Amino acid sequence: MNAPATLQVQKLKRTPLYLVHRRLGAKLVEFAGWEMPVQYRGVIEEHLAVRGRAGLFDVSHMGEVEVRGRGALDLCQMLTANDLSRLQHGQAQYNLLLNEQGGIIDDVVIYPLEADHILICVNASNTDKDFDWIKKRSGGSAEVENTSSHYIQLALQGPLAEKILQRLTRLRLEVIKPFHFLFGEVGGIHSLVARTGYTGEDGFEIFCDPTQGQKLWGALMDAGSEHGLQPAGLGARDTLRLESAFPLYGHELDDSTTPLESRLEWVVKFSKGNFLGREDLLRQKQQGVQRKLVGLEMSEPGIARSHYPILKQGERLGDVTSGTKSPTLGRAIALGYVRAEHAAVGNSVEVEIRDRRVGARIVPLPFYRRQPVEVKAKGGE
Amino acid sequence: MEFPDGLKYSKEHEWVLVEDKAAIIGITEYAQHELGDIVYVELPEVGEKVVKDDPFAAVESVKAVSDVYAPVSGKVLEINDALPESPETINEDPYGDGWMIKVEMTDMDDLKDLMSAEEYAEYIEQQKGADEEEEEEEDEEEEDEKEKK
């Protein structure tokens, strides 16, 4: 799992907010080479704050790769599965970097900043891999740069996120639709403000210069104090994304997993023309997949965790990739891969938990979906 | 952090309350704090044998699973039936309602390896101290660097 202790001599990276987290009493852990807050006051409390009010996450460990030049769009189109040519100005896109076999190198969010300038937000654990991959294939008409150190990124997430952020900016946030972004000042700091996130709630991700990180964090916390805004760590980020059935690279996704297996077929636009991995994916689509990502809910006491075997009458169908007890639902939930013929919703299976076989059921995904905005507004604060 | 005097403590952060040949076992304040919100507990059954230094139970936070190691060997006399329904009791009252099992000890000498409250408090301080010293130095370095800028 972790590298042997002797190899961990490399110092962990810290975001510009490291001392802020320390002062807030955060519990810090290693994540993808970074020393990050996993929780401040408790995972469940932070999780429920995001679902009910708002939470603020430091996600500066996320990487950024920028592609510039007249070949920038073509390069990105060739290396990804979704169709960037469909995007309107100011629109961002969830996308996948694929290898020749259609395996997922990373799942990313792409922000076309200008016609010849594309920002790719990548997973911390994959930053170097992604940069090398794109750089190697860039040719002469596109310049590729790892600009991860040029940004900090904060995620303000929850039903009150817009109200809180609006206090700090003249941007009209109500006109920013989901997966759209604008540039503007937040608390006097030049920022990219995107209506994106990884929690299943409404919210924003804000990028700015690292030197402004502490100031931005402070401004947001102040603006949110009367709305019950709480700092939230990677622990809550993980339980929130799992309830929403968002995949996490290294758990649900890896280089040998394709989008057709991992419920990400909607991302793949076969019609856009050629792209890396297209042929193998088309073949897989015709032949059918061997395994599928499914949602599980435990029907007996126990919590399924990553790598636990999923069985049916003693026969191994696959493995759990993520699992927890859902703070919102109060039930044990999990994601995992099973052989395709057993993937139907309603199917009863077993999860092996410490030599014990515990009953579980395949359920529809996501586990949690937020209420439509209208209903929420009536509920008030 | 509280470590009651009448208890014995293990390096794996379990406590033991000795009553003649019986031992009541739970996890310490420090352990519950490190684990965070406990959402699931798996206990052995009455009559099962537990072996010193082997796992006898599992406690799970939202984030992870942790084994609980037996501080003494023995046969399980009683388990805390209330825990599976309300595992958060361990967070709220680790030395009281959050007790886990009661065993009949097979070897009273097992107790010799355990620490007193004072020794355990020192043990925790040593562990925390080592981390914090290092971190404080680092903080100072960072603050210095900032001032230079």
Side-chain angles (χ1 to χ4, degrees):
Chain A
M1 201 172 68
N2 291 318
T6 48
L7 294 178
Q8 287 184 337
V9 285
Q10 203 180 356
K11 218 176 160 196
L12 293 178
K13 287 178 268 189
R14 290 171 175 174
T15 81
L17 290 159
Y18 170 78
L19 286 178
V20 174
H21 302 317
R22 284 283 303 274
R23 287 191 196 108
L24 285 166
K27 192 181 288 179
L28 296 154
V29 297
E30 191 273 341
F31 180 79
W34 291 77
E35 192 172 3
M36 297 298 291
V38 65
Q39 65 165 65
Y40 300 83
R41 290 173 58 176
V43 175
I44 295 177
E45 184 180 331
E46 292 160 27
H47 179 111
L48 298 176
V50 172
R51 290 272 181 257
R53 303 186 303 277
L56 185 62
F57 301 81
D58 176 12
V59 289
S60 304
H61 60 305
M62 301 290 285
E64 287 86 12
V65 176
E66 284 176 70
V67 186
R68 283 189 177 85
R70 60 189 164 79
L73 180 65
D74 287 345
L75 176 65
C76 291
Q77 281 283 64
M78 180 53 73
L79 297 181
T80 62
N82 209 335
D83 188 357
L84 289 162
S85 73
R86 297 179 176 204
L87 295 184
Q88 310 284 320
H89 185 68
Q91 191 176 4
Q93 185 178 68
Y94 181 72
N95 210 329
L96 299 167
L97 287 169
L98 299 179
N99 59 31
E100 289 94 335
Q101 293 77 40
I104 298 169
I105 292 170
D106 201 4
D107 66 330
V108 302
V109 176
I110 295 187
Y111 301 87
L113 303 181
E114 293 159 46
D116 297 339
H117 184 187
I118 293 172
L119 172 70
I120 310 173
C121 181
V122 305
N123 279 299
S125 54
N126 290 332
T127 305
D128 293 338
K129 179 181 81 167
D130 293 355
F131 170 67
D132 291 343
W133 177 264
I134 300 167
K135 174 98 181 156
K136 255 187 206 140
R137 284 156 187 81
S138 60
S141 58
E143 250 178 69
V144 184
E145 194 184 356
N146 180 350
T147 54
S148 300
S149 62
H150 300 190
Y151 300 95
I152 64 113
Q153 191 184 343
L154 303 184
L156 177 66
Q157 301 279 299
L160 301 183
E162 183 183 306
K163 192 173 272 184
I164 292 166
L165 186 59
Q166 193 63 75
R167 300 180 61 161
L168 296 173
T169 183
R170 296 173 70 173
L171 291 171
R172 279 182 57 216
L173 297 176
E174 65 191 39
V175 305
I176 307 181
K177 289 181 282 187
F179 268 88
H180 283 68
F181 64 95
L182 284 174
F183 284 96
E185 293 210 340
V186 176
I189 300 158
H190 181 66
S191 307
L192 186 164
V193 179
R195 196 162 209 140
T196 51
Y198 192 49
T199 60
E201 293 305 321
D202 185 24
F204 298 87
E205 291 176 311
I206 307 158
F207 298 72
C208 78
D209 189 276
T211 58
Q212 304 298 304
Q214 293 200 12
K215 191 177 158 195
L216 180 62
W217 175 279
L220 287 165
M221 285 308 296
D222 285 347
S225 61
E226 68 189 65
H227 298 288
L229 174 65
Q230 270 188 246
L234 293 187
R237 188 168 156 85
D238 191 45
T239 50
L240 288 158
R241 71 92 193 166
L242 182 50
E243 286 183 347
S244 304
F246 295 150
L248 173 60
Y249 201 90
H251 286 251
E252 285 72 40
L253 311 179
D254 61 34
D255 297 284
S256 63
T257 303
T258 75
L260 307 188
E261 297 162 335
S262 53
R263 301 180 68 252
L264 294 174
E265 188 172 349
W266 65 273
V267 181
V268 184
K269 303 297 187 314
F270 287 109
S271 59
K272 80 170 184 179
N274 195 27
F275 60 91
L276 217 55
R278 184 173 185 271
E279 268 175 48
D280 281 28
L281 283 184
L282 267 179
R283 193 175 316 121
Q284 192 181 44
K285 192 174 161 66
Q286 280 152 12
Q287 294 172 348
V289 294
Q290 301 284 308
R291 56 182 190 139
K292 275 186 181 165
L293 186 68
V294 297
L296 297 172
E297 199 173 297
M298 303 308 295
S299 38
E300 297 175 322
I303 301 174
R305 303 282 184 179
S306 185
H307 302 301
Y308 288 4
I310 303 170
L311 308 150
K312 176 114 184 167
Q313 284 146 9
E315 186 193 354
R316 189 158 179 170
L317 303 182
D319 288 346
V320 173
T321 50
S322 298
T324 190
K325 184 173 176 191
S326 159
T328 310
L329 309 170
R331 302 191 289 269
I333 58 171
L335 293 171
Y337 282 95
V338 297
R339 294 218 313 268
E341 65 269 28
H342 294 282
V345 166
N347 214 346
S348 292
V349 296
E350 293 167 325
V351 177
E352 195 171 295
I353 301 177
R354 293 181 290 277
D355 302 327
R356 213 159 44 88
R357 288 188 186 162
V358 182
R361 209 163 41 86
I362 297 178
V363 296
L365 291 173
F367 302 103
Y368 165 88
R369 200 192 298 272
R370 75 170 182 264
Q371 299 291 306
V373 178
E374 292 74 22
V375 175
K376 201 173 59 198
K378 272 185 219 158
E381 278 166 55
Chain B
M1 224 169 257
E2 191 198 352
F3 307 118
D5 270 336
L7 307 179
K8 300 254 180 209
Y9 299 86
S10 75
K11 286 190 171 169
E12 302 285 351
H13 309 291
E14 289 85 21
W15 57 261
V16 179
L17 173 64
V18 183
E19 289 180 343
D20 296 327
K21 286 192 77 178
I24 298 169
I25 299 167
I27 66 169
T28 68
E29 171 89 29
Y30 176 80
Q32 71 78 17
H33 185 261
E34 285 298 300
L35 288 165
D37 300 319
I38 294 169
V39 293
Y40 186 75
V41 181
E42 196 173 278
L43 297 174
E45 283 173 24
V46 172
E48 257 181 63
K49 282 184 180 151
V50 301
V51 178
K52 184 173 182 291
D53 299 330
D54 281 359
F56 73 90
V59 290
E60 305 198 23
S61 66
V62 274
K63 195 104 186 89
V65 187
S66 302
D67 284 326
V68 185
Y69 295 89
V72 296
S73 295
K75 199 170 98 180
V76 179
L77 296 172
E78 250 182 88
I79 60 169
N80 185 349
D81 285 325
L83 285 185
E85 277 302 307
S86 49
E88 67 279 3
T89 311
I90 296 179
N91 292 119
E92 290 156 7
D93 190 8
Y95 303 115
D97 289 345
W99 70 278
M100 297 177 78
I101 59 169
K102 182 174 180 177
V103 302
E104 183 180 14
M105 285 184 277
T106 44
D107 186 354
M108 299 298 280
D109 280 351
D110 284 350
L111 295 170
K112 288 181 184 163
D113 297 334
L114 301 177
M115 292 175 268
S116 68
E118 203 178 326
E119 286 164 340
Y120 181 66
E122 212 167 287
Y123 172 70
I124 295 290
E125 282 312 310
Q126 277 170 10
Q127 293 205 323
K128 283 203 304 195
D131 290 349
E132 271 168 20
E133 239 169 66
E134 185 195 330
E135 283 176 6
E136 270 163 27
E137 275 169 30
E138 286 172 11
D139 280 1
E140 279 165 24
E141 278 169 31
E142 287 194 19
E143 294 285 6
D144 287 350
E145 271 175 40
K146 265 205 310 196
E147 276 168 28
K148 278 177 211 160
K149 283 172 192 168

